[in-house]
Amino acid sequence: MEQFFQLKKNNTTIATEVIAGASSFLATSYIIVVNPSILSQAGMPFAAVLTATILVSFFSSLMMGLYAKNPILVAPGMGLNAFFTFTVVLGMKVPWQTALGAVFWSGIIFLLLSIFNIRTHIVKAIPKQLRYAITAGIGLFITLIGFTSAKFIVANPATIIGIGALKPALVTFLAGFFVMAVLLIRKAKGAILFGILFTTLAAYPIGRYWGGADPLVSYKGVFGMPNFSLLFNLDIIGSLKWSFLPVIFAFVFTDMFDSLSTFIGLSEAANLLDENGEPQNVKQSLLTDAVSTTLASLVGSSPGTAYIESAVGIGSGGRTGLTAVVGALLFLPFLFLAPLLSIVPSIATAPALVLVGVFMLQSVIKINWTRLDDAIPAFLALVLIPFTYSITQGIIWGFLSFTILKVCSGKAKEISPALWIIDAFAIMALILA
């Protein structure tokens, strides 16, 4: 183990790596409940998605540890699951089996881009200002989903949207939100997970002793066998249509840049850099991410991606792939706890969605708001993602507006050939929509 993970070279020990892996797991483990709660709204069985979530998290994190040898956990990504459910399945009326097929092809494309190093050209083609804006826009989108799940924000014919009535369920959501927020501020390990647990316990009396007719929390036992009904239940051929190209592209784009930004940020923070000052083993890490996305489609989940919450384990001293291996192993017992985890109501996961938005919105400080030919496209991408309830629309209009404004302001040289190709796909997406 010492030789394989080079523990001494990285100035760490087995004990430190185990603690770091457990810390990263606690910070990431909320996805075990949150991912099924989102994807089940697309008509997919909760228990089966939970099984898929754990399989993706286990195998992907294990590959990250053993192959890429980085202390980073991989699991189904927030934002990607929202795009899958609310934009593709519910918005575009695409059957979830076909949407999984689109995830499969996006994984294959991501894999090829990583193997042949084409991703470098794509990265350079996307303006940094748009990358920051899209990340923040997805954060706002996830926050909106959290608020609507808790009925904190509701439809209002007079004002389009409004605040929900202060009923017991909403009060419980607010209590859970502030408990989770305080735990995060105090840097408590597993803050999001413990916040979900607190809100679930607080919601138990609702509908049972007071506050409604139907119980929000329904106990169905503790243990159960894994549900593999989603295994290979995808439509690979049906997703090979021109109309699905924008969907596949959006999956590839979001997954790739989310992964790249995570790797770069974590590597810089932990000084996990090679001799050239670049993130260590980045090609292997991106290959792992691509395999994770392909695997996710086969077992029945939205794409997998590297988790920024791995910073918790890195902050605890994790420096090698052993941290990711430990985190991967901790996911496995939850394969047999689906009945227990299914008691978690939507108002318990909603605070996590809102607070994840806080982390993703931090990228707006990197946008140059004083340079309007950069700021206006970034602003459009940022606001249109939540306002149109579509990540795709935000990306499309961000790209197109950037190109139009640069050309009209005499800065066409700032548009790379690859971005022109991306713009062509964006226009095609609008025509085929």
Side-chain angles (χ1 to χ4, degrees):
M1 192 177 292
E2 153 62 32
Q3 187 176 3
F4 184 81
F5 291 110
Q6 298 183 313
L7 300 178
K8 287 184 179 178
K9 180 182 177 181
N10 288 282
N11 195 28
T12 185
T13 64
I14 292 177
T16 299
E17 295 292 298
V18 169
I19 293 172
S23 300
S24 285
F25 169 77
L26 284 174
T28 308
S29 56
Y30 67 89
I31 197 63
I32 297 174
V33 176
V34 175
N35 197 51
S37 72
I38 291 177
L39 294 187
S40 61
Q41 297 180 57
M44 303 167 74
F46 181 96
V49 177
L50 190 147
T51 297
T53 301
I54 294 167
L55 291 176
V56 172
S57 305
F58 168 70
F59 285 110
S60 304
S61 298
L62 192 65
M63 182 176 175
M64 181 65 77
L66 297 178
Y67 173 63
K69 297 183 181 178
N70 266 327
I72 298 172
L73 299 189
V74 183
M78 293 297 296
L80 290 164
N81 50 15
F83 174 69
F84 181 99
T85 299
F86 299 102
T87 299
V88 180
V89 177
L90 299 180
M92 300 174 64
K93 310 299 181 185
V94 174
W96 58 259
Q97 295 91 339
T98 308
L100 286 176
V103 172
F104 172 82
W105 290 117
S106 71
I108 297 298
I109 293 171
F110 191 8
L111 198 59
L112 293 173
L113 292 175
S114 299
I115 291 172
F116 294 106
N117 215 28
I118 301 172
R119 69 183 187 280
T120 304
H121 301 290
I122 297 177
V123 170
K124 292 179 179 177
I126 309 300
K128 288 185 178 180
Q129 306 295 316
L130 288 183
R131 291 186 225 167
Y132 303 145
I134 290 166
T135 299
I138 293 173
L140 286 177
F141 184 48
I142 293 172
T143 297
L144 179 60
I145 292 169
F147 278 135
T148 53
S149 295
K151 293 184 171 54
F152 184 82
I153 293 178
V154 295
N156 187 319
T159 59
I160 304 177
I161 59 173
I163 295 292
L166 208 60
K167 295 181 179 179
L170 183 53
V171 172
T172 304
F173 157 76
L174 291 171
F177 171 83
F178 285 112
V179 166
M180 195 178 293
V182 169
L183 290 173
L184 285 169
I185 291 168
R186 298 180 71 89
K187 301 186 185 304
K189 293 179 180 178
I192 292 178
L193 183 63
F194 288 123
I196 291 173
L197 177 61
F198 168 82
T199 314
T200 300
L201 293 174
Y204 181 81
I206 298 175
R208 188 170 279 104
Y209 304 121
W210 66 298
D214 299 317
L216 288 183
V217 177
S218 181
Y219 178 73
K220 299 177 182 177
V222 177
F223 299 105
M225 294 302 294
N227 185 330
F228 296 106
S229 62
L230 290 176
L231 202 63
F232 304 119
N233 195 355
L234 70 163
D235 186 0
I236 294 177
I237 304 300
S239 59
L240 281 178
K241 296 179 180 177
W242 279 104
S243 58
F244 289 134
L245 277 181
V247 174
I248 295 172
F249 172 76
F251 276 131
V252 173
F253 170 84
T254 307
D255 194 7
M256 182 166 61
F257 286 105
D258 188 42
S259 301
L260 276 171
S261 60
T262 299
F263 292 138
I264 292 170
L266 291 176
S267 297
E268 290 286 348
N271 197 32
L272 299 172
L273 306 172
D274 60 20
E275 58 275 8
N276 299 316
E278 299 293 331
Q280 68 177 19
N281 304 331
V282 66
K283 183 174 182 179
Q284 294 91 327
S285 298
L286 287 172
L287 276 170
T288 299
D289 210 283
V291 169
S292 177
T293 293
T294 308
L295 172 65
S297 68
L298 298 175
V299 300
S301 174
S302 52
T305 189
Y307 259 64
I308 194 67
E309 285 85 351
S310 302
V312 175
I314 291 173
S316 300
R319 289 295 180 273
T320 74
L322 183 55
T323 294
V325 171
V326 171
L329 293 172
L330 289 174
F331 276 105
L332 277 182
F334 290 91
L335 274 175
F336 304 94
L337 297 174
L340 176 63
L341 296 178
S342 66
I343 70 173
V344 178
S346 61
I347 63 165
T349 55
L353 298 178
V354 174
L355 289 168
V356 165
V358 174
F359 303 131
M360 298 184 72
L361 209 66
Q362 293 173 8
S363 62
V364 296
I365 63 174
K366 300 177 182 179
I367 298 172
N368 185 358
W369 294 106
T370 61
R371 184 174 172 176
L372 292 181
D373 52 332
D374 283 337
I376 292 172
F379 177 74
L380 287 177
L382 172 64
V383 299
L384 286 178
I385 289 175
F387 288 175
T388 64
Y389 220 68
S390 170
I391 296 172
T392 305
Q393 291 298 320
I395 292 174
I396 287 173
W397 290 107
F399 285 154
L400 293 180
S401 62
F402 181 89
T403 302
I404 293 169
L405 292 177
K406 290 295 181 182
V407 170
C408 293
S409 58
K411 300 178 181 179
K413 290 183 179 180
E414 294 185 25
I415 305 170
S416 66
L419 185 55
W420 284 110
I421 296 173
I422 293 172
D423 286 335
F425 276 106
I427 293 170
M428 188 185 307
L430 292 175
I431 295 172
L432 295 175

